[in-house]
Amino acid sequence: MEFSGYDINKYSPRQMVALPLLLLLLAGVVLGYTMLTTGLPLTPGIDFAGGTAVTVFTSDSRETIEATFAGYPLLSVGEGVGNGKYIQFGPMDDAQFQSLTALINERYPDAKVDQIGETFGKTLQSQAFLAMIFSFIGMAVVVLIAFRSVVPAGAVVLAAFADIVITAGVMQIIGIPLSLGTTAALLMLIGYSVDSDILLTTRLLKRKGKLEEKLFGAFRTGIIMTTTTLAAIAAMWVVATAGHIQIISEIASVLLIGLFVDIMNTWMLNAGILKEYILRGNKR
């Protein structure tokens, strides 16, 4: 009973949950260290930290732009279609901002300058945090009502939590900042996670038959569903990256990472917990 090189019935519950829990612990360490050093679990983009975004249409290369603004807190230079450039700067005082504005107007008269204040960024931080908390609470309540048992509902919530934490840890390691777009992608992962976890839990708890057959059937269906979603998001990532659409590329990157993490947490962590739960129930 092998599919995609992984026989879900071959391993014991302890073997299945070991890797996801280890990665969850490591991701927690990464995010905890970042929290201690920056005040946020992920390095914030200008949406949350405040800063200045400049949109220009110029044939100047990335290196030329970086040299032009070398005296300012330059964060990134994104390239778009039609010689479009999206330049991001970190927070700066009023005098430095005025100097930057004068330089931009002199060098790129048609540029569009948008400033996000640090106070407004902190407001967005709190709103994003509340959105994440309420999403988890709502998910937990719905799952608990649906299955009316603490262990299956807790396994679904744990798998979704592990999806977010491990994905965020990978984001921090590879340098994807926390922005409004990537926050939305993390919230979307909750929906993807619950979808696959509810499929697994429903198949195992509410269908009759042997545990091995139900587990393999759920695994096969779930992998096909997730693979289809992965293909669509991968296509979005390719188009966005080729077109230098930075925010879409970052959202697609987060979703790709999260879906691969969700495969592990659903079919190892959640499946291992449910397998142990059912085997113990049968023994009793």
Side-chain angles (χ1 to χ4, degrees), residues 227-248:
T227 302
T228 303
T229 307
L230 278 170
I233 295 176
M236 181 175 71
W237 180 84
V238 170
V239 172
T241 302
H244 302 288
I245 308 174
Q246 183 177 357
I247 184 61
I248 302 298

Side-chain angles (χ1 to χ4, degrees), residues 169-184:
V170 175
M171 287 173 58
Q172 180 62 26
I173 292 172
I174 66 177
I176 299 177
L178 184 65
S179 64
L180 290 175
T182 54
T183 300

Side-chain angles (χ1 to χ4, degrees), residues 159-261:
F161 176 75
D163 282 354
I164 299 299
V165 172
I166 296 175
T167 301
V170 175
M171 287 173 58
Q172 180 62 26
I173 292 172
I174 66 177
I176 299 177
L178 184 65
S179 64
L180 290 175
T182 54
T183 300
L186 289 173
L187 290 172
M188 291 171 64
L189 285 178
I190 297 177
Y192 285 122
S193 174
V194 171
D195 184 43
S196 57
D197 289 324
I198 286 181
L199 166 69
L200 169 64
T201 308
T202 302
R203 289 285 185 92
L204 294 189
L205 299 185
K206 297 190 176 183
R207 285 195 177 185
K208 296 181 179 180
K210 295 182 178 180
L211 174 61
E212 292 79 7
E213 295 176 353
K214 293 189 293 183
L215 195 55
F216 178 73
F219 176 65
R220 180 181 177 85
T221 303
I223 288 295
I224 292 173
M225 291 170 53
T226 305
T227 302
T228 303
T229 307
L230 278 170
I233 295 176
M236 181 175 71
W237 180 84
V238 170
V239 172
T241 302
H244 302 288
I245 308 174
Q246 183 177 357
I247 184 61
I248 302 298
S249 178
E250 289 178 352
I251 291 174
S253 298
V254 173
L255 290 176
L256 284 173
I257 295 167
L259 285 175
F260 280 111
V261 171

